[in-house]
Amino acid sequence: MRKDSYFSRRLASFGYAFSGIAAFLRSEPHARIHLVATIVVTAAGCWYKLSRMEWILLIITIAVVWVSEMLNTVIEKIMDHLSPDYHPRVKWIKDVAAGAVLIAAIAAAGIGALIFIPHIL
C-alpha cells in the first residue's frame, strides 16, 4: 500500500482529530469540567436505565456542548493570535462565542433536568 493512499490519509486524519481532542483536554480547564460532567451524566444514564430516546437526546446534547466549547476555544485562540493586544471587536467576537457555549450549557441543563428528574422522583 502506498504511503499516501486514500486509506492511510483517512487514518491519519483521525489521528489528527484525536490529537486535537487530547490537546483540548490538556490545555483547557473547561474541557476537563465537560469531561467530568459527561462521565457523571453517562453513569447516571446507565444507573437509571434511560430509554433509547433519552439516550439519543443526551448524546446529542453532550455533543452540542462539547462542539460549542471546542469551537469557542478555537475562536479565542485565533483571535489571540491575530490580535494579541486588546481590541473591542476581538472582545465582542470572544464574548459572543462564549455566549454560544453558555446557551448550549443552559439548554443541556434543561434537557438533563427533563430526562433525569422523573427518574429521580
Side-chain angles (χ1 to χ4, degrees):
M1 179 181 340
R2 287 185 1 195
K3 183 175 179 161
D4 63 343
S5 72
Y6 176 82
F7 180 74
S8 63
R9 289 192 312 269
R10 295 299 68 77
L11 197 56
S13 70
F14 276 99
Y16 302 142
F18 284 116
S19 187
I21 293 167
F24 176 65
L25 286 166
R26 278 192 308 273
S27 68
E28 299 301 316
H30 287 135
R32 294 186 289 279
I33 293 169
H34 291 306
L35 179 61
V36 170
T38 298
I39 291 167
V40 168
V41 168
T42 302
C46 293
W47 176 264
Y48 289 112
K49 297 179 174 61
L50 298 182
S51 71
R52 179 180 302 207
M53 185 53 66
E54 289 170 325
W55 275 114
I56 290 168
L57 293 171
L58 208 57
I59 290 166
I60 291 169
T61 301
I62 289 168
V64 166
V65 171
W66 275 92
V67 169
S68 64
E69 185 66 57
M70 293 175 88
L71 290 173
N72 176 54
T73 298
V74 168
I75 290 167
E76 287 181 353
K77 301 285 185 198
I78 289 170
M79 297 316 298
D80 289 345
H81 177 75
L82 295 176
S83 182
D85 297 326
Y86 175 83
H87 192 284
R89 287 188 193 145
V90 170
K91 179 189 181 317
W92 185 91
I93 291 166
K94 291 168 77 172
D95 288 352
V96 171
V101 177
L102 181 59
I103 289 171
I106 290 168
I111 292 167
L114 289 170
I115 290 172
F116 286 108
I117 288 174
H119 291 282
I120 294 168
L121 302 177

